[in-house]
Amino acid sequence: MAVERTLSIIKPDATEKNVTGAIIKKFEDAGLRVVAQKRLHMSKDMAGKFYEVHAERPFYDELTTFMSRSPVSVQVLEAENAVALHRDVMGATNPADAAAGTVRAEFADSVGENSVHGSDSLENAAIEIAFFFKDDEIVG
Ligand code: ADP
Ligand code: MG
């Protein structure tokens, strides 16, 4: 296994509930290290660009409206095997299917408002990290 970096977003439902720190604690407890972080309020246009891969899905408009509703916290997380480890801590996309103790089981409201985003491959992690951060903003 190699040290990897992955992109994490704490979504508007979670920042509205003031559980940013509680979610970061779950990541840190699992061994993921925050090496870059910022809080921003995405425009619907920016959210649309980030989720462009889902543009043809029926929930695209709902998703981009939701992601631009309130601020998000965006992190680069670093660890051995970070992409898969982060997905494990997040839990399944639908919180009804998420294992006990995962972020989505504990904090998410629905399949749409599911508290966190995480890159699904090392290749996409690099693309998503570059979407939000310049190289010199990553300090791990
Ligand atoms: P994940 O975030 O677990 O990688 P996907 O990449 O499949 O899941 O979907 C991206 C995001 O789109 C989800 O996290 C969720 O916010 C939203 N989404 C996925 N499926 C649905 C759905 N059936 N209805 C509404 N929103 C959805
Ligand atoms: Mg995904």
Side-chain angles (χ1 to χ4, degrees), residues 3-24:
V3 174
E4 297 176 353
R5 287 176 173 173
T6 191
L7 187 84
S8 152
I9 305 178
I10 298 177
K11 295 182 177 182
D13 63 302
T15 64
E16 288 165 2
K17 283 187 266 190
N18 203 28
V19 293
T20 304
I23 291 173
I24 296 290

Side-chain angles (χ1 to χ4, degrees), residues 51 54 87 117-120 128:
Y51 277 117
H54 294 310
R87 297 283 305 191
H117 166 85
S119 308
D120 62 6
E128 292 179 359

Side-chain angles (χ1 to χ4, degrees), residues 11 51 54 57 59 62-63 66 87 90 93 104 111-114 116-118:
K11 295 182 177 182
Y51 277 117
H54 294 310
R57 307 279 284 272
F59 54 80
E62 179 190 331
L63 176 60
F66 162 59
R87 297 283 305 191
M90 288 166 56
T93 306
R104 282 166 166 168
V111 67
E113 302 201 7
N114 59 4
V116 282
H117 166 85

Side-chain angles (χ1 to χ4, degrees), residues 64 82 121:
T64 55
S121 68

Side-chain angles (χ1 to χ4, degrees), residues 55-86:
E56 302 308 319
R57 307 279 284 272
F59 54 80
Y60 180 67
D61 188 67
E62 179 190 331
L63 176 60
T64 55
T65 298
F66 162 59
M67 289 300 290
S68 56
R69 183 174 81 199
S70 294
V72 296
S73 177
V74 188
Q75 298 73 228
V76 178
L77 303 177
E78 187 176 88
E80 290 266 336
N81 203 26
V83 172
L85 175 60
H86 180 219

